[in-house]
Amino acid sequence: MSAASSLLSEEQFLCSICLDVFTDPVAIPCGHNFCKSCITQHWDINAQCQCPMCKKRFDRRPELHVNTFISEMAAQFRKSAQTKASSCSDQQCVKPGEPVTCDVCTGTKLKALKSCLVCLASYCDTHLEPHQRIAGLKRHKLIDPVENLEGRICKDHDELLQLFCKTDQMCVCMVCTVLDHKPHHIVPLKEEYEEKKAELGKTEAETQQMIQERRLKIQEIKHSVELSKEDADREIADSVRVFTALMQSVERGQAELIETIQEKQKTTEKQAEGFIKELEQEISELMKRTAEVEQLSRTEDHLHLLQSFPSLNTPPHTKNWTEVSVHSSYEGTVRRAVAQLEETLSEEMEKLLEAELKRVQQYAVDVTLDPDTAHPELILSDDGKQVNHGDMKKNLPDNPERFSFCTCVLGKQSFSSGRFYYEVQVKGKTDWTLGVARGSINRKGKIISSPKNGYWNIWLRNGNEYKALSDPCVVLSLKTKPQKVGVFVDYEEGLVSFYDVDAAALIYSYTGCTFTEELYPYFSPSLNYGGKNSAPLIISSVNHTD
């Protein structure tokens, strides 16, 4: 086991909460390991039961069992580390990086055990013995071994630096306090030492906290990379499936088109062969008639010519070929094949959009309306899930967060990273505006909704006029009138997308956005126009379909 543990790094045996080697390590359902007492205390302190590393939440607190394998590995690692530390703690030998040596030793210098502030010398265990035995030396001030003992003597007065001037933030001797630092705030070195030590303890705790936060962030980033890879693999699989289906459809359509054209050509050729056969037969009969006429014209028998003339002078029974032609029309053949391909592509697009909507719905968040931002004419439900325009302007405080001119309201929740999604019912409305907005937007006076002003919105006007309020505005042509609109934001990707939830269709996407501050869900039910637009905007619960 020691051979195996030597191949592992120290970081793999550290609990990311206490930053020490695992004690009674347990694995929680997401796969991450912690000391049993650390994760138990973490869950006792925090309201939510989730993993400190990947943030996965658990509906119920998992039952914890010590992972015996990791526990044995951690114990072996701890033992190995202690053995290594013990072998390096020989007090009689001077190691590289430990320059404080005994000032009395001759030949091989041994490591100093203590330094004397009175003698201004450092002593090993052997040469320190007089300071522990002789009464006069016992009164000397001994400290942990340090270099440059001369630096502990005041250069101006050749006295021991044993006081601290808080005014000038420097160490001083007794003479300094009487002369140069007489009116200053002077304290014993030990008092200042304790104060600074406490500050260092706080700094160390803060540093350890920063280390822990960064280790957790590393795990979070690694976890995000894993999720990103899963997304990438899924997208690749979907693209292969879709494009394979499209290529097969194209190949099948091409084969069917060629077969149709070839069948038409065969029919044309067969028809032409029939015409040619008829014509050849008529030519044969006409040539026979020509021979008979020619023979009769050379006869000298008057009676025979007159008797045969009527039958030879009668026009032969032939077909009128003037209007007969051979022609195959291929008009529209290719167009119909392409139309079929377009229909197949449309079906695949619908499948993709359905899958995309299901994926973004996994990032659903609970959004409620913030009454402190609502325009005074808006009416909010008690649960903060509905808003509509009223006829009366309420007497509300004009706080900085409140919209004073435009009839809109923001969500309470803000987002500055990751992805989030929510759905809003717009059924029965003729006018509305939905989207997200920066926290620093102007909320007083007239507002021009556009990305450069901090808004990423779409709206409906006059019952059937849809627009994306970009720079410039984009008119949206929708096949169906949305009854429920889904809003999805990917903060890091700079993406804001709107969906017709019932039709599983994409309405519009803002792409390539740059977000630098918190984003808030944005709602405007618009004016009620005498009751024509009185229906409320309703924040709906998201139905996670399989």
Side-chain angles (χ1 to χ4, degrees):
M1 183 179 291
S2 69
S5 64
S6 65
L7 299 176
L8 300 174
S9 67
E10 178 183 359
E11 188 181 55
Q12 293 172 287
F13 291 99
L14 297 183
C15 169
S16 59
I17 295 178
C18 67
L19 304 178
D20 202 353
V21 179
F22 285 122
T23 301
D24 294 334
V26 294
I28 61 177
C30 62
H32 293 114
N33 298 293
F34 306 92
C35 298
K36 185 175 182 181
S37 59
C38 291
I39 191 63
T40 301
Q41 184 178 12
H42 178 79
W43 284 341
D44 289 341
I45 295 174
N46 293 278
Q48 295 178 338
C49 186
Q50 67 179 42
C51 174
M53 297 178 72
C54 66
K55 307 303 182 184
K56 180 176 178 60
R57 296 182 181 178
F58 309 109
D59 296 331
R60 299 175 60 185
R61 179 176 292 199
E63 186 176 352
L64 302 177
H65 300 283
V66 175
N67 188 320
T68 56
F69 175 74
I70 296 179
S71 180
E72 291 174 2
M73 293 289 288
Q76 185 67 25
F77 181 85
R78 187 184 290 107
K79 182 179 179 182
S80 175
Q82 290 172 348
T83 302
K84 183 177 179 182
S86 176
S87 65
C88 295
S89 62
D90 187 354
Q91 295 295 319
Q92 299 302 315
C93 299
V94 179
K95 308 295 189 303
E98 298 177 347
V100 181
T101 59
C102 178
D103 292 325
V104 182
C105 287
T106 58
T108 301
K109 291 282 187 178
L110 297 182
K111 180 180 178 182
L113 188 64
K114 291 290 182 179
S115 293
C116 178
L117 294 179
V118 178
C119 302
L120 295 181
S122 298
Y123 304 100
C124 65
D125 189 23
T126 301
H127 294 118
L128 183 64
E129 187 271 337
H131 279 76
Q132 298 169 334
R133 177 173 48 85
I134 300 173
L137 295 178
K138 282 184 178 181
R139 291 193 292 269
H140 287 191
K141 178 67 174 177
L142 297 177
I143 63 173
D144 289 334
V146 293
E147 289 185 280
N148 188 25
L149 285 168
E150 293 79 5
R152 296 178 174 265
I153 301 298
C154 177
K155 295 179 180 180
D156 295 330
H157 309 112
D158 203 27
E159 293 285 339
L160 184 65
L161 296 171
Q162 53 186 334
L163 300 170
F164 186 82
C165 175
K166 296 181 75 70
T167 305
D168 292 336
Q169 289 293 300
M170 61 183 296
C171 297
V172 296
C173 67
M174 290 296 294
V175 179
C176 290
T177 63
V178 178
L179 299 177
D180 302 333
H181 299 265
K182 185 176 181 179
H184 295 177
H185 183 194
I186 306 297
V187 297
L189 276 183
K190 185 177 181 180
E191 180 180 328
E192 186 67 19
Y193 162 82
E194 295 295 340
E195 183 178 326
K196 289 294 191 289
K197 187 176 181 180
E199 291 182 12
L200 286 176
K202 182 179 179 182
T203 300
E204 182 183 5
E206 292 174 350
T207 304
Q208 289 295 335
Q209 178 66 23
M210 292 173 66
I211 292 172
Q212 179 180 344
E213 290 173 355
R214 279 149 182 78
R215 281 179 172 166
L216 290 174
K217 179 57 70 173
I218 288 173
Q219 296 300 325
E220 181 183 329
I221 291 172
K222 288 180 179 179
H223 184 63
S224 297
V225 171
E226 292 173 0
L227 293 179
S228 178
K229 186 177 185 305
E230 291 176 4
D231 289 344
D233 291 342
R234 183 173 57 247
E235 290 297 323
I236 290 173
D238 286 346
S239 67
V240 170
R241 179 186 64 79
V242 171
F243 279 93
T244 299
L246 288 177
M247 287 187 289
Q248 290 175 347
S249 179
V250 170
E251 291 171 355
R252 185 170 56 251
Q254 183 186 39
E256 291 174 355
L257 175 62
I258 292 173
E259 184 180 357
T260 300
I261 294 174
Q262 289 176 340
E263 287 296 325
K264 283 190 175 184
Q265 180 61 22
K266 288 179 182 178
T267 301
T268 300
E269 291 175 357
K270 187 175 181 180
Q271 184 184 38
E273 288 175 1
F275 289 156
I276 291 172
K277 187 174 181 180
E278 285 186 61
L279 287 168
E280 289 177 343
Q281 186 175 353
E282 288 188 359
I283 289 172
S284 177
E285 292 176 357
L286 289 173
M287 289 179 67
K288 183 179 178 182
R289 170 68 67 92
T290 299
E292 290 176 353
V293 170
E294 184 179 352
Q295 183 180 2
L296 184 60
S297 65
R298 290 198 298 269
T299 185
E300 297 291 337
D301 187 341
H302 299 165
L303 179 63
H304 176 66
L305 185 148
L306 292 174
Q307 289 177 338
S308 301
F309 180 81
S311 61
L312 293 177
N313 193 45
T314 303
H317 181 68
T318 58
K319 185 176 182 179
N320 183 2
W321 295 92
T322 305
E323 302 296 330
V324 175
S325 65
V326 177
H327 176 68
S328 286
S329 174
Y330 301 105
E331 298 273 340
T333 306
V334 177
R335 177 182 54 77
R336 286 190 293 272
V338 172
Q340 181 62 43
L341 180 61
E342 184 180 3
E343 182 179 344
T344 302
L345 178 60
S346 178
E347 291 174 357
E348 290 297 328
M349 283 295 295
E350 289 179 2
K351 292 178 183 178
L352 281 177
L353 284 171
E354 288 178 3
E356 179 182 328
L357 181 57
K358 289 178 182 178
R359 283 200 296 272
V360 302
Q361 285 177 331
Q362 302 305 310
Y363 299 98
V365 295
D366 184 20
V367 174
T368 52
L369 302 171
D370 185 358
D372 290 338
T373 67
H375 185 275
E377 294 179 8
L378 295 182
I379 301 174
L380 276 61
S381 61
D382 293 338
D383 62 0
K385 295 293 185 179
Q386 300 186 29
V387 58
N388 65 302
H389 180 253
D391 294 321
M392 299 294 293
K393 185 173 184 179
K394 298 187 290 293
N395 184 20
L396 298 174
D398 187 21
N399 50 286
E401 297 85 8
R402 191 179 306 283
F403 291 93
S404 64
F405 184 83
C406 294
T407 53
C408 48
V409 59
L410 298 180
K412 282 185 179 180
Q413 296 73 18
S414 63
F415 305 89
S416 56
S417 64
R419 302 165 181 170
F420 64 94
Y421 173 86
Y422 61 93
E423 293 179 352
V424 184
Q425 179 178 307
V426 295
K427 184 178 180 180
K429 296 194 66 60
T430 61
D431 292 62
W432 50 258
T433 305
L434 292 174
V436 293
R438 286 198 303 252
S440 62
I441 54 172
N442 172 39
R443 309 184 188 197
K444 306 301 179 183
K446 189 175 181 180
I447 293 173
I448 299 177
S449 181
S450 68
K452 68 179 181 181
N453 291 331
Y455 299 85
W456 291 266
N457 296 333
I458 62 171
W459 78 9
L460 166 67
R461 292 294 183 266
N462 302 318
N464 59 3
E465 298 173 7
Y466 295 91
K467 282 186 180 180
L469 306 181
S470 55
D471 300 312
C473 292
V474 177
V475 176
L476 305 175
S477 298
L478 308 184
K479 292 182 179 179
T480 59
K481 183 175 181 179
Q483 303 298 301
K484 186 183 291 184
V485 176
V487 183
F488 172 69
V489 177
D490 187 329
Y491 194 96
E492 284 74 21
E493 188 69 20
L495 173 70
V496 181
S497 294
F498 300 85
Y499 295 88
D500 180 339
V501 177
D502 297 326
L506 178 66
I507 297 174
Y508 184 77
S509 285
Y510 289 93
T511 59
C513 309
T514 301
F515 303 129
T516 57
E517 57 182 272
E518 292 180 326
L519 296 178
Y520 290 82
Y522 176 94
F523 309 85
S524 174
S526 194
L527 304 178
N528 62 25
Y529 296 113
K532 293 181 181 180
N533 188 42
S534 59
L537 290 176
I538 303 175
I539 302 173
S540 308
S541 58
V542 177
N543 180 22
H544 295 278
T545 55
D546 296 329

